[in-house]
Amino acid sequence: MLTLPGIFIDGVWQHGTQVLTVTNPSTEQRLAQVAGGDGEAVARAAQAAQAAFAQWSRTTGAQRAEHLRAIARGVEARRERLIELQSSNNGKPLAESAIDVDDVIATFDYYAGLAQALDAQQDQALALPSEDFVARVRREPCGVVGLIVPWNFPMVTTAWKLAPALAAGCCAVLKPSEVTPLAELELAHIIAQSGLPAGVFNLVCGTGLAVGAPLASDSRIAKVSFTGSNAVGVQVMQRAAETVKGVSLELGGKSSLLVLESADLQRAIELACGGGFFNAGQMCSATSRVLVADALYDAFVDGVLARVAAIRVGDPFAGETDMGPLVNQAQYLRVMGAIERGVQAGASVLCGGRRVERPCGYFIEPTVFADVPLDSALWREEIFGPVLCVKRVGSEAEAVALANDSEFGLVASVVTTDGQAAQRVADQLQAGLVWVNAPQVIFPQAAWGGYKQSSLGRELGPWGLSAFQEVKHVVTAV
Ligand code: NAD
């Protein structure tokens, strides 16, 4: 079997000693082996990044913009290959993988623009209440950054961190998920060939304990940007605390879709299925709680069941497929366990809940629950699979209260034809992003991140850039 080098340090590809086996979740076949690293490789990567920082941090924003655009063009040129790798390693249907790759291109192009704009913003005067002093403001890169990403949107979560980090003038050490390194490795090859100076971008594949943990601890790393589960996010934060590192966290969610009495029923049905079953529900932003106004509830449930029956689950490479498998056996077992516990807690399965009858692959039927107890794990915890819980609500106020009754607060969706109700409800929801009558569109210009235990900080937009910057004031006596 092909063994790929899983370490890229100071411009050189290397084989490490920790071998990861990468599988295709549709076929359960091994795809490749990746020779990743450990703490020793992390230390070398951090050192190379630190050495490169001396020059890279002094480049102009315009120079860095050129590099970011070169990466975007490289991704564009390898678009088909990246889509194929994403679908074979992650199991996403081709159309969903294409959305990911296009998002990566858009993100690098967007941060090229912000990098370019930085030069004119540098050294701006700060108004002081004294004529005896003048002050100027500089935005400088925070240093070498560690980027740790999950398996559900490989490349996308990487781009959301790496593009702003490079734009700010930081050097980076990236740790992809051990489950889905293949598209990330291809992206790394594109970056390596884009002309970026050696040491600015480094990569170490490996498990969380072998690579992620030392990355969070290394004293040369100024900041860790992490996307993943809450349990690991807390560990990363604890390790980072030892050297007072900056930390950005993008963690879990338990988000709601609110179908108000004034909703367009067909649109509500489409948006509910999209919010629950895109990426086989393996989304931190899945709107897995669907709160439906009493007057629409029965028709809505009938409509959702009819729509779900039409969802084609199967081979990600078949053009007609709507939903692929879960990413691996561990995730399959986790989701089946959550479904089973939901049934034991008294929830009713309206459809799905079983493995899809196929010779192989980690496929689960799109599943809809009703009568879900509000204190059950099914209602309160992130399931990260194709599972929707629908609930009848008696008023708009009840819907808002139920949506906000969560330790998470990542996103929310509102479906209504009443503009005033849309604004009223959106303003009350404790979520970082609210979609009104819209699918889960994400623009690099708009912030990503949530309230409460979903996030610490924001990605994308100018907020994503400032996450990798320090602010310096120079105050001079005149
Ligand atoms: P995970 O927390 O298991 O792993 C995430 C990354 O952390 C992986 O690269 C993993 O190897 C690494 N890691 C594991 N243990 C570590 C440790 N002790 N120290 C440092 N790094 C370690 O998450 P996952 O299963 O890969 O992804 C699913 C989770 O990610 C879900 O909870 C989901 O909600 C979350 N997620 C959040 C967002 C967001 O934007 N809020 C986006 C995507 C995924």
Side-chain angles (χ1 to χ4, degrees), residues 442-471:
I442 296 172
F443 298 98
Q445 291 76 4
W448 179 259
Y451 287 31
K452 300 189 264 186
Q453 292 185 35
S454 282
S455 303
L456 195 62
R458 291 288 184 275
E459 296 194 305
L460 298 182
W463 306 274
L465 180 66
S466 57
F468 293 105
Q469 290 174 317
E470 291 283 7
V471 176

Side-chain angles (χ1 to χ4, degrees), residues 149 151-152 175 178 212 226-229 235 251 284 382 448:
V149 297
W151 48 258
N152 64 333
K175 190 205 104 53
E178 60 273 38
F226 171 85
T227 299
S229 63
Q235 287 175 33
L251 307 174
C284 48
E382 183 176 53
W448 179 259

